[in-house]
Amino acid sequence: MSAHTGRHFLQIPGPTNVPDRVLRAIDRPTIDHRGPEFQKLGHAVLDGMRAIFKTRGMVVIYPASGTGAWEAALVNTLSPGDRVLMYETGHFATLWRRMAGRLGLEVDFIPGDWRRGADPEAIEARLKDDRAHAIKAVCVVHNETSTGAVTRVPEVRRALDRSAHPALLMVDTISSLASIDYRMDEWGVDVTVGGSQKGLMLPPGLSFNAVNDKALAAAKSARLPRAYWNWDEMLTANQAGFFPYTPATNLLYGLREALDMLQEEGLENVFARHARHAEATRRAVRAWGLDILCADPAEYSNALTALVMPDGHDADHVRNVILERFDMSLGAGLGKLKGKVFRIGHLGHFNDLMLAGTLCGVEMGLALAGVPIRKGGVQVALDYLAAPVTGGVHTATAVA
Ligand SMILES: Cc1ncc(COP(=O)(O)O)c(C=O)c1O
């Protein structure tokens, strides 16, 4: 690897670039997690996260990666042998399904082609067939990070309602939270799973469950073994701003700072920024003559874009060329997409010029790796980004 100067470009779809403000917040002495100063911190982050999930329910913060919060969602609400309905949107949905199986749940896995979100109609059909209400939970991934396709969660909710099915609705928002609009209460989600290392702009290491009353009621009778992940002890300690075991104090400093930053920008502006950067990226991809993996424009992800390589071209080779030459990391194709796609992360702490640099690196790298593209995708994206802003509305967005 040649010596690199300047900043590394971390354009994988998480972990994302951590703002200097957050890094500085983390870089402070660890305090007594049973003292009054911590108590304020505990309340601040727990309340702040409610606003991010858009819920009046409870939020649980684990010192764990997102996988831990997946497990917590399942073990707190379900019993051995319970049936759960999951949808194969991609690699992460497949991993969540594998975990459910390992925990002793019966998984009804609706097959998908890894190019779109969960199909609400297919879910509705399964629920209508389940007259005995054997299915106890429907679990979907909001933003499937392996494909860049979004599940239309409100429509999944309507599928449950139309079939008058009492199953819990659980949604993984690990790569959508604080990047793509998400409204837990309004959309009738019972358990939301989140992670720190993407839209929340933190390093990896924290994950979340947001939980409504229906999920808490389910937790009362759920019988899967749970110890570390138990909501009960957490929620009791959280009431006073504390945690039942040693919390990740310094990451919580970072979370408080990130929540301040999101609040200063305004969540709706955060979503609009992500939408604009995603649109600029897609315009570049189309101008290069490459395919976007997500097959349905209504389900395009605003957090990342997966690019399909033409036959005979290896996405990992392209990524390696870009890493070596331009010191930029792009997301690999995961699972069955290995070598077939690479993913551009455009979420988190990000701006127009970072996107411009990212797209420059991709365009140069594609050409260097011998992938047949039309040049000029970067220019198309720049034209879109540089469109005048009138009355706070970016005109290119308005006409797009
Ligand atoms: C949608 C989604 N779910 C779950 C996970 C697993 O989270 P973690 O790797 O933090 O355990 C990821 C990780 O990227 C993800 O993107």
Side-chain angles (χ1 to χ4, degrees), residues 293-309:
L293 179 65
C294 178
D296 182 351
E299 297 178 336
Y300 280 153
S301 167
N302 290 338
L304 74 132
T305 302
L307 283 65
V308 183
M309 286 299 94

Side-chain angles (χ1 to χ4, degrees), residues 161-324:
D161 294 343
R162 271 199 295 263
S163 31
H165 200 292
L168 294 167
L169 176 56
M170 302 199 199
V171 180
D172 167 344
T173 64
I174 288 175
S175 60
S176 57
L177 199 65
S179 301
I180 301 172
D181 192 13
Y182 182 74
R183 311 175 193 184
M184 172 153 169
D185 289 0
E186 188 183 321
W187 295 352
V189 178
D190 301 301
V191 183
T192 306
V193 175
S196 58
Q197 72 271 30
K198 309 208 187 230
L200 288 175
M201 309 180 288
L202 295 173
L206 291 181
S207 57
F208 308 88
N209 279 176
V211 184
N212 73 4
D213 286 344
K214 183 170 168 183
L216 287 176
K220 288 209 163 58
S221 54
R223 285 178 290 102
L224 275 180
R226 54 186 138 137
Y228 186 74
W229 305 114
N230 200 332
W231 289 338
D232 258 2
E233 287 145 29
M234 266 287 198
L235 293 174
T236 307
N238 283 174
Q239 273 173 13
F242 294 117
F243 285 70
Y245 43 75
T246 316
T249 307
N250 290 54
L251 284 176
L252 297 179
Y253 294 154
L255 178 57
R256 180 169 55 188
E257 192 69 24
L259 289 168
D260 284 351
M261 290 177 69
L262 291 167
Q263 209 200 356
E264 285 161 25
E265 184 176 355
L267 257 193
E268 304 315 309
N269 295 328
V270 171
F271 300 146
R273 167 166 60 81
H274 282 79
R276 195 166 150 268
H277 288 154
E279 176 60 24
T281 304
R282 291 189 293 263
R283 287 179 185 218
V285 176
R286 286 193 207 100
W288 290 325
L290 295 176
D291 285 336
I292 295 166
L293 179 65
C294 178
D296 182 351
E299 297 178 336
Y300 280 153
S301 167
N302 290 338
L304 74 132
T305 302
L307 283 65
V308 183
M309 286 299 94
D311 282 346
H313 293 274
D314 179 8
D316 289 336
H317 174 59
V318 176
R319 286 191 317 107
N320 286 339
V321 167
I322 292 173
L323 181 62
E324 288 279 327

Side-chain angles (χ1 to χ4, degrees), residues 36-79:
E37 194 182 337
F38 184 90
Q39 196 170 25
K40 281 196 213 122
L41 173 66
H43 281 307
V45 292
L46 288 163
D47 288 348
M49 282 309 296
R50 276 197 197 99
I52 301 293
F53 285 110
K54 297 196 178 160
T55 184
R56 291 148 62 104
M58 307 308 285
V59 171
V60 173
I61 306 178
Y62 293 109
S65 85
T67 304
W70 265 349
E71 180 163 344
L74 299 175
V75 297
N76 275 285
T77 52
L78 299 165
S79 298

